[in-house]
């Protein structure tokens, strides 16, 4: 072994080391990431329920999914989180970053205030917000409403308000990250562009529209994708804010990941759950591909 | 101390051949400079000597040993890199001593060598500093010190001065030369700067596209370039090239639109009608104060003038072509003046236009 | 003029500052209410003032004595620490190799690792569960940790950062006679400590706040992590909001402390890597 090693050239010795160093990580990625990906794909084609052996049933799970009203409800819920949450959080975080960028006094501290929710345990914060939504005399939101002379709202107990009520803390938690990224993007724009615009007598609004936003394009795209993926994968908050973690009332808040969790680990319908993870995977893949495309066109 | 000998060195990266079979013998104690434009394979050659790159083919000996399969540390070499490559997280002392520590040298010996190197390089007061607190020149000294303490048989320098400003470069050049004279160790030095090559080398190896173009002492390369490439590469401003054609009769070349030069003597492989270039260095092309003949005597119109003090560079137009000449600094010239450019026959070079090889030695 | 802020000169700036700062205060109101309520006695819960009339630690004492929070806390802490150390070591080693070595198959390995970034955790929990069941890892520390021992994100991040270490430095170390592992450990690694600290913080926080997988893989309450424990505890105590807020505070306060101590590194890390781990 030693003699063999010494007979290698310098480049060959380095290759030997490279593979030694990579051996464990590579094994890990194959065993823990790549192989399970294939395994899930396979399970999605079976009727496996942990109790009896797997039967290959072809695309039956996918057909069932196509005809399953609950799946479609869940799928639509997931997109509601995305389609409402993503634009609101982006606009809000841009506004905060845009104005925060213009102030100097205590800027770092204010940025930190916005950022803190991003780091905290989602499960814990979900319970805090759940408490806020309680009826009088417990919940602060309803107390404020009543104090201002409005009527109480059901929030999490209502089929029409629950999804929005869960979305609020989700937006709140992700806002700080987006503010920080937007701020960094704004600061990366060279001051000379603004100076040149000011010398040309361009107004504030035009500068924003013609200089700032176009130059922020990569940042915006990045945040669109990251926050889209975040909303598509929403789980912790819904699990902790709905009764028994079921995504109620009447499944109106249940997102795809929660549905997968219930199917796989409460009902043990592994095959059917696996088919739904494939759907999630394809949606996430599509988002990423769209991003890569959009980045390339510029 | 040791000689270095390269035979048939080839380096291929994937499909591209970077070095095409180089043969070179470097004597013990010699200072050899590999010079050429970027991408000519000079750095790769040096890295193969160091053991940082594998050979695709060929053999390298250092002293009597074939070193092809030895790791860098076992080749008895030391190397100084372009970006200094000193460890930013270690003090100067640790940087210099690092290789010795790896070689498990006894501590007193290590200290002695570090002190000795620091004294030679004027680093004694800086030993406890960190690289970030040093100037570019000081960092380069640390890098040299690190190489010195190993007492290597061969020093390898990879463009060590290219990150320094012009003044510092000239100063460090002198120090490296002194160091070589003091230590007497074999040096292989890579640079793209022909001035560095000329001033430092015992012998220069001019490389181009992975091949050796010419090997020789600095003055030899300057006076007797073997090809147009070497002629242009060595010397600044670079050699004037006037296209022409070999005329009937011995040693005569007809220059395009300018006239004929004769008295060049025997030209190798010269059949009449062959396209050639007549080369003459700006240093040898003088602005004549009086009208007069010579083997080369051209009427020219002065364009741009660059006074350098003792002499003046004159960019003059001859037959629609710009030539560079030197004039005595005391002559006053103005744009548009018509002057005569002359050169001695000994200073004229003739190159084949197609093969670019010299026809007259 | 103080801090580059001259109130008398630009009323527009004052307005902007006030609005942005008020927004920031609103952002941390949930924490304020959470902590304040955790300090209130049973009788004071329905009183929503921010400063408790009679602050008491009785909720905390109860939580630490009568529930398994201390245990969950230790579970989370051990798991997050071990995962972080493993991620730092293996991710930086793999990133280093992919950045600085030239060998056949390098590109394939890199693409393979990169492609794992595209696969969401949710798609892998079923095979992980089956694997854990077969290997007897269900309801163990290792079962909670194993999917996060090495991360594609970290490998990618470290690879990017090793680009800033000059190749010549590694060559110089080879000539100095350092072995390949020691070049990594003694020369390259010390030069990427900013990236390492960012990766450490993200990995630790990611592990600390992870919910879905620990929820799946744990069974017995003594093996819960803090978020899973909190969820089950809150479900049980569903009307005792001061207890739930105390639990939430215990889960949150460590991350707040980490943030306050390491704010500079965290924000820089977020900007550098652009993504949470």
């Amino acid at each position: 072994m030693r003699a063999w090693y010494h007979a290698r050239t310098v480049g060959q010795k380095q290759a030997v080391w490279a593979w030694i160093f990579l051996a464990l990580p590579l094994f890990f990625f194959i065993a823990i990431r790549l192989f399970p990906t294939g395994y899930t794909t396979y399970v999605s084609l079976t009727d496996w329920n942990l109790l009896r052996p797997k039967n290959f049933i072809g695309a039956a799970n996918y057909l069932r999914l196509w005809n399953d009203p609950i799946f479609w409800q869940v799928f639509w819920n997931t997109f509601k989180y995305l389609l409402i949450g993503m634009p609101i959080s982006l606009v809000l975080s841009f506004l905060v970053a845009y104005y925060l960028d213009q102030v100097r006094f205590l800027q770092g501290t204010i940025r930190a205030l916005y950022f803190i929710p991003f780091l905290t345990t989602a499960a814990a914060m979900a319970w805090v917000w759940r408490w806020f939504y309680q009826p009088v005399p417990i919940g602060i939101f309803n107390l404020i409403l009543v104090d201002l002379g409005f009527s109480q709202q059901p929030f999490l107990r209502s089929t029409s308000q629950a999804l929005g009520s869960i979305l609020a803390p989700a937006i709140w938690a992700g806002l700080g990250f987006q503010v920080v990224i937007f701020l960094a993007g704004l600061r990366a724009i060279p001051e000379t562009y603004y100076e040149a615009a000011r010398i040309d007598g361009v107004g504030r609004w035009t500068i924003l529209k013609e200089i700032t936003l176009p130059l922020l394009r990569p940042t915006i795209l990045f945040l669109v994708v990251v926050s889209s993926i975040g909303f598509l994968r929403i789980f912790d908050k819904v699990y902790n804010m709905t009764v028994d973690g079921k995504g109620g009332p009447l499944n109106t808040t249940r997102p795809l990941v929660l549905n997968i969790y219930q199917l796989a680990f409460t009902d043990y319908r592994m095959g059917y759950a696996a088919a739904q993870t494939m759907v999630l995977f394809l949606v996430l893949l599509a988002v990423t591909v769209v991003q890569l495309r959009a980045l390339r066109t510029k | 101390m040791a000689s270095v000998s390269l035979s048939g060195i080839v380096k291929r990266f994937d499909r591209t051949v970077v070095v095409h079979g180089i043969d070179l013998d470097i004597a013990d104690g010699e200072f050899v400079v590999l010079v050429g434009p970027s991408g000519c394979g000079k750095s790769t050659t040096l890295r193969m000597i160091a053991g940082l790159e594998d050979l695709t083919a060929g053999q390298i000996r250092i002293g009597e040993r074939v070193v092809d399969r030895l790791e860098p540390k076992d080749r008895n070499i030391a190397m100084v890199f372009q970006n200094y490559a000193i460890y930013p997280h270690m003090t100067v002392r640790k940087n210099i001593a690092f290789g010795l520590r790896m070689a498990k040298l006894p501590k007193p010996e290590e200290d002695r060598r570090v002190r000795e190197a620091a004294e030679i390089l004027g680093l004694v007061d800086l030993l406890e500093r960190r690289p970030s607190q040093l100037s570019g020149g000081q960092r380069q000294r640390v890098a040299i010190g690190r190489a010195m303490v190993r007492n290597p048989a061969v020093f390898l320098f990879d463009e060590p001065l290219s990150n320094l400003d012009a003044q510092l470069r000239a100063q460090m050049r002198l120090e490296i030369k002194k160091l070589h004279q003091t230590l007497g160790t074999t040096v292989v030095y890579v640079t793209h700067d022909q001035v560095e090559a000329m001033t430092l080398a015992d012998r220069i190896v001019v490389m181009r596209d992975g091949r050796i173009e010419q090997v020789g002492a600095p003055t030899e390369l300057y006076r007797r370039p073997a090809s147009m490439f070497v002629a242009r590469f060595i010397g600044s401003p670079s050699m004037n090239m006037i296209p022409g054609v070999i005329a009937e009769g011995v040693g005569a070349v007809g220059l395009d639109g300018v006239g004929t030069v004769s008295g060049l003597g025997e030209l190798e492989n010269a059949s009449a009608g062959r396209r050639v270039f007549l080369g003459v260095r700006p240093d040898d092309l003088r602005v004549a104060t009086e009208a007069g003949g010579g083997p080369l005597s051209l009427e020219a119109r002065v364009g741009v003038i660059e006074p350098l003090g003792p002499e003046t560079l004159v960019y003059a137009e001859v037959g629609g072509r710009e030539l560079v000449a030197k004039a005595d600094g005391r002559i006053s010239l103005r744009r548009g003046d018509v002057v005569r450019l002359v050169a001695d026959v000994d200073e004229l070079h003739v190159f084949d236009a197609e093969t670019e090889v010299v026809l007259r030695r | 003029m103080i801090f580059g802020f001259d109130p008398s000169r630009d009323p527009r700036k004052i307005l902007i500052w006030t609005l942005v700062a008020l927004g920031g205060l609103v952002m941390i109101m949930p924490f304020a209410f959470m902590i304040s309520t955790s300090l209130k006695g049973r009788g004071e819960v329905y009183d929503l003032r921010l400063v408790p009339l009679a602050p008491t630690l009785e909720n905390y004492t109860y939580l630490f004595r009568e529930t398994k929070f201390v245990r969950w806390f230790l579970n989370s802490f051990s798991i997050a620490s071990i995962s972080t150390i493993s991620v730092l070591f293996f991710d930086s080693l793999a990133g280093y190799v992919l950045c600085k070595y030239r060998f056949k198959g390098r590109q394939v390995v890199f693409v393979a690792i990169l492609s794992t970034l595209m696969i969401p955790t949710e798609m892998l929990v079923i095979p992980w569960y089956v694997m854990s069941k077969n290997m007897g890892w269900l309801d163990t520390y290792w079962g909670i940790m194993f999917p996060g021992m090495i991360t594609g994100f970290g490998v990618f991040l470290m690879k990017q950062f090793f680009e800033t270490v000059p190749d010549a430095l590694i060559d110089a170390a080879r000539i100095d006679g350092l072995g390949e592992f020691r070049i990594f450990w003694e020369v390259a690694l010390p030069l990427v400590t900013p990236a390492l600290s960012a990766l450490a913080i993200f990995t630790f926080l990611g592990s600390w706040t992870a919910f879905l997988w620990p929820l799946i893989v744990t069974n017995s309450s003594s093996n819960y992590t803090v978020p899973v424990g909190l969820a089950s505890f809150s479900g049980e105590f569903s009307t005792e909001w001061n207890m739930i807020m105390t639990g939430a505070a215990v889960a949150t306060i460590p991350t707040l402390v980490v943030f306050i101590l390491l704010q500079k590194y965290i924000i820089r890390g977020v900007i550098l890597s652009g993504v949470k781990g």
Side-chain angles (χ1 to χ4, degrees):
Chain A
M1 192 69 189
R2 184 168 279 263
W4 176 85
Y5 178 75
H6 281 293
R8 299 301 102 190
T9 66
V10 175
Q12 288 165 338
K13 282 174 188 160
Q14 281 178 29
V16 169
W17 283 108
W19 287 109
I20 290 174
F21 292 158
L22 278 179
L24 207 54
L26 207 57
F27 171 77
F28 177 88
F29 282 113
I30 292 169
I32 306 296
R33 298 271 163 182
L34 296 177
F35 168 73
T37 308
Y39 188 82
T40 299
T41 315
Y42 168 66
V43 169
S44 78
L45 302 173
T46 70
D47 65 351
W48 195 32
N49 65 359
L50 281 188
L51 297 176
R52 52 163 197 265
K54 303 181 201 51
N55 290 315
F56 185 83
I57 54 167
N61 282 324
Y62 293 92
L63 272 177
R64 172 187 313 197
L65 178 156
W66 186 259
N67 296 314
D68 179 354
I70 296 195
F71 170 77
W72 284 112
Q73 186 182 11
V74 162
F75 191 76
W76 178 230
N77 287 341
T78 311
F79 271 90
K80 272 196 214 157
Y81 284 115
L82 169 69
L83 294 175
I84 306 170
M86 192 264 287
I88 293 181
S89 70
L90 240 60
V91 169
L92 270 180
S93 59
F94 177 76
L95 285 177
V96 171
Y98 180 71
Y99 287 113
L100 186 54
D101 187 42
Q102 300 177 12
V103 304
R104 289 284 165 269
F105 183 59
L106 290 180
Q107 194 199 43
T109 313
I110 298 175
R111 183 180 62 179
L113 294 181
Y114 283 94
F115 188 72
I116 285 174
F118 178 67
L119 291 178
T120 50
T121 313
M125 288 306 113
W127 282 94
V128 175
W129 281 76
R130 189 170 172 172
W131 170 52
F132 287 170
Y133 286 127
Q134 296 303 307
V136 174
I138 301 168
I140 188 163
F141 291 151
N142 274 321
L143 275 174
I144 293 173
L145 284 177
V146 169
D147 270 0
L148 294 176
F150 296 100
S151 58
Q152 276 205 62
Q153 296 298 318
F155 293 120
L156 291 169
R157 284 152 215 251
S158 142
T159 50
S160 56
Q161 292 176 7
L163 190 132
S165 305
I166 291 171
L167 205 45
I171 292 171
W172 168 77
L175 200 66
F177 171 74
Q178 299 176 0
V179 168
V180 166
I181 299 287
F182 265 134
L183 262 180
L186 284 169
R187 282 187 198 157
I189 299 174
E191 193 64 28
T192 47
Y193 290 160
Y194 296 121
E195 284 163 358
R198 218 165 294 144
I199 286 167
D200 293 344
V202 182
R204 230 193 285 277
W205 172 243
T206 317
I207 291 178
L208 176 65
K209 212 176 64 183
E210 301 294 334
I211 297 175
T212 312
L213 286 176
L215 287 172
L216 272 183
R217 199 183 122 97
T219 311
I220 295 172
L221 260 173
F222 169 74
L223 286 178
V224 165
V225 171
V226 170
S227 83
S228 300
I229 291 176
F231 284 113
L232 289 171
R233 293 174 63 185
I234 191 165
F235 172 75
D236 303 11
K237 297 208 172 55
V238 190
Y239 183 90
N240 282 291
M241 290 180 76
T242 57
V243 178
D244 293 334
K246 289 263 196 283
L250 297 173
N251 292 335
T252 48
T253 62
R254 181 187 280 218
L256 199 47
V257 178
L258 184 56
N259 202 45
I260 291 166
Y261 171 79
Q262 292 284 353
L263 283 171
F265 301 102
T266 311
D267 308 343
Y268 296 111
R269 293 165 69 186
M270 295 296 179
Y272 193 37
Q276 300 202 3
T277 66
M278 296 299 290
V279 173
L280 178 72
F281 171 63
L282 291 176
V283 171
L284 294 178
L285 194 66
V287 171
T288 316
V289 169
V290 167
Q291 174 210 24
L292 291 178
R293 279 278 163 77
L295 272 178
R296 206 175 302 155
T297 52
K298 192 87 180 203
Chain B
M1 301 225 255
S3 60
V4 177
S5 118
L6 315 182
S7 50
I9 302 294
V10 176
K11 179 66 186 179
R12 201 172 55 218
F13 288 111
D14 296 326
R15 293 275 160 70
T16 36
V17 181
V18 191
V19 176
H20 295 262
I22 282 185
D23 296 298
L24 182 66
D25 284 308
I26 298 167
D28 187 6
E30 196 177 15
F31 197 127
V32 167
V33 175
L34 307 184
V35 69
S38 60
C40 71
K42 56 190 191 299
S43 276
T44 309
T45 306
L46 191 76
R47 291 169 60 81
M48 288 192 285
I49 299 174
L52 296 169
E53 302 278 357
D54 280 347
L55 304 174
T56 308
Q59 195 176 61
I60 297 179
R61 287 165 178 277
I62 296 179
E64 291 310 306
R65 267 193 318 170
V66 176
V67 297
D68 299 358
R69 302 254 152 151
L70 291 182
E71 284 182 47
K73 67 176 161 84
D74 300 323
R75 294 191 179 200
N76 206 5
I77 47 115
M79 187 157 170
V80 178
F81 294 87
Q82 176 174 3
N83 302 312
Y84 325 126
I86 49 181
Y87 310 118
H89 55 301
M90 298 181 190
T91 59
V92 169
R93 180 190 296 282
K94 268 196 97 175
N95 261 290
I96 295 178
F98 198 60
L100 299 179
R101 203 161 294 174
M102 290 307 113
K104 303 216 167 57
L105 222 65
K107 183 80 174 140
E109 174 66 6
E110 176 190 311
D111 287 344
R112 194 186 61 75
R113 288 209 205 167
V114 170
R115 172 144 289 274
E116 195 181 85
E119 273 164 11
I120 294 177
L121 295 167
L123 290 170
V124 178
D125 297 334
L126 306 175
L127 280 175
E128 304 312 323
R129 299 247 183 113
R130 293 210 171 239
S132 57
Q133 297 165 294
L134 302 182
S135 70
Q138 289 167 336
R139 283 180 208 190
Q140 195 56 69
R141 278 197 196 99
V142 174
I144 293 172
R146 181 174 64 183
M148 266 172 67
V149 291
R150 297 168 57 90
N151 277 338
V154 183
F155 273 116
L156 307 174
F157 287 85
D158 188 6
E159 309 225 13
L161 305 183
S162 53
N163 277 10
L164 303 178
D165 64 50
Q167 200 185 348
L168 207 53
R169 202 181 307 169
Q171 190 192 332
M172 286 302 296
R173 213 161 60 203
L174 197 67
E175 288 191 27
I176 290 175
K177 190 153 195 174
K178 274 188 199 154
L179 200 69
H180 176 244
Q181 282 165 0
T182 321
L183 301 175
T185 315
T186 315
V187 173
V188 186
Y189 187 109
V190 161
T191 180
H192 63 269
D193 179 355
Q194 55 93 17
V195 178
E196 250 170 61
M198 293 290 283
T199 49
L200 285 170
D202 294 331
R203 217 148 45 108
I204 295 178
V205 179
V206 181
M207 291 182 66
R208 179 196 191 186
D209 296 338
R211 292 192 174 83
I212 292 181
E213 193 82 7
Q214 191 175 1
V215 181
T219 44
E220 188 188 338
L221 293 195
Y222 184 79
R223 306 211 64 85
R224 298 273 166 263
S227 66
M228 278 175 72
F229 177 78
V230 176
R232 283 212 196 95
F233 196 79
I234 303 284
S236 172
S238 78
M239 187 184 277
N240 295 301
M241 293 290 174
I242 310 165
V245 65
I246 293 184
E248 299 288 343
V250 175
V253 170
L255 300 176
D256 296 357
V258 182
T260 302
V261 191
S262 56
L264 293 169
E266 192 76 30
L267 298 176
E268 286 171 24
N269 290 323
S271 45
R274 199 172 179 86
R275 296 294 303 173
V276 294
F277 280 98
L278 182 83
V280 55
R281 293 204 178 274
D283 287 306
D284 301 328
L285 189 64
R286 293 178 314 280
V287 176
T289 37
E290 290 153 30
L296 182 70
S297 174
L298 306 166
E299 195 180 76
R301 183 176 295 276
V302 174
V304 177
I305 298 163
E306 289 184 347
L308 300 173
E311 56 205 3
T312 302
L313 282 183
V314 180
Y315 294 82
E317 190 221 296
V318 179
R321 186 166 292 107
E322 188 175 69
L323 300 182
V324 191
K326 267 194 184 152
D328 190 295
R330 284 161 297 196
I331 302 176
S332 79
L333 288 169
R334 261 183 297 172
R335 185 184 173 82
D337 286 355
V338 174
V339 293
R340 201 146 263 290
L341 305 178
V342 298
D344 289 341
V345 72
D346 287 349
E347 317 297 352
L348 299 180
H349 308 261
V350 181
F351 302 96
D352 189 303
E354 202 180 306
T355 63
E356 304 203 341
V357 173
V358 77
L359 299 178
R360 177 173 192 263
R361 291 188 194 274
Chain C
M1 217 163 102
I2 20 159
F3 306 115
F5 179 72
D6 183 354
S8 62
R9 204 167 276 170
D10 193 346
R12 184 177 165 273
K13 282 240 155 117
I14 305 175
L15 181 68
I16 289 174
W17 189 88
T18 314
L19 288 176
V20 173
L22 273 179
L25 284 179
V26 169
M27 289 294 285
I28 58 158
M29 283 324 271
F31 299 104
F33 279 108
M34 171 185 79
I35 290 168
S36 119
T37 302
S38 74
L39 297 172
K40 288 174 182 170
R42 200 167 283 233
E44 221 188 312
V45 182
Y46 299 129
D47 181 27
L48 284 178
R49 75 183 71 223
L50 258 183
V51 183
L53 285 174
T56 164
L57 287 173
E58 68 183 32
N59 296 329
Y60 288 90
T61 343
Y62 180 82
L63 200 74
F64 292 142
R65 290 231 179 98
E66 305 298 324
T67 73
K68 291 190 168 151
F69 250 96
V70 175
R71 177 69 202 244
W72 298 338
F73 202 91
L74 290 176
N75 290 349
S76 274
F77 189 79
S78 325
I79 288 163
S81 306
I82 298 171
S83 308
T84 304
I85 291 167
S86 165
V87 161
L88 286 189
F89 180 77
F90 287 111
D91 286 13
S92 55
L93 187 60
Y96 172 74
V97 171
L98 291 174
C99 177
K100 293 299 185 196
Y101 283 81
R102 298 285 166 271
F103 56 98
K104 278 208 186 76
R106 170 174 158 274
Q107 205 56 33
V108 177
V109 173
F110 181 61
V111 170
I113 293 178
L114 202 61
S115 69
T116 65
L117 286 177
M118 309 277 282
I119 306 164
T121 320
E122 292 79 5
M123 194 176 166
L124 303 173
V125 291
I126 292 174
W128 289 347
Y129 181 79
V130 176
M131 195 185 286
S132 307
K133 201 168 147 70
N134 294 338
M135 307 286 251
W137 297 344
L138 284 182
D139 213 21
T140 63
Y141 272 16
W142 173 249
I144 303 173
M145 287 188 302
F146 81 88
M149 295 301 275
I150 305 178
T151 64
F153 165 75
V155 172
F156 190 65
L157 181 77
M158 295 314 296
K159 179 185 179 289
Q160 297 301 103
F161 269 87
F162 278 116
E163 304 281 358
T164 63
V165 175
D167 290 347
L169 220 50
I170 291 162
D171 289 339
R174 287 203 176 110
I175 287 176
D176 275 342
L178 230 64
E180 294 296 319
F181 182 76
R182 292 183 66 191
I183 295 176
F184 161 70
W185 191 253
E186 290 176 32
V187 175
L189 210 52
L191 300 180
V192 292
T193 41
L196 279 178
S197 59
L199 184 60
I201 293 166
F202 294 149
T203 310
F204 193 93
L205 288 176
S207 175
W208 184 267
T209 58
F211 188 67
L212 178 62
W213 176 243
L215 179 69
I216 292 169
V217 80
T218 52
N219 269 329
S220 46
S221 60
S222 54
N223 284 329
Y224 287 167
T225 59
V226 169
V228 178
L230 180 72
S232 93
F233 163 87
S234 306
E236 259 169 60
F237 281 68
S238 59
T239 50
E240 292 188 52
W241 290 102
N242 54 340
M243 285 313 299
I244 295 176
M245 288 310 112
T246 312
V250 169
T252 309
I253 286 170
T255 59
L256 291 184
V257 171
V258 168
F259 177 72
I260 289 164
L261 292 178
L262 303 176
Q263 187 190 341
K264 206 176 69 189
Y265 301 96
I266 293 179
I267 297 222
R268 197 174 56 192
V270 167
I271 294 167
L272 286 178
S273 56
V275 189
K276 190 184 173 188

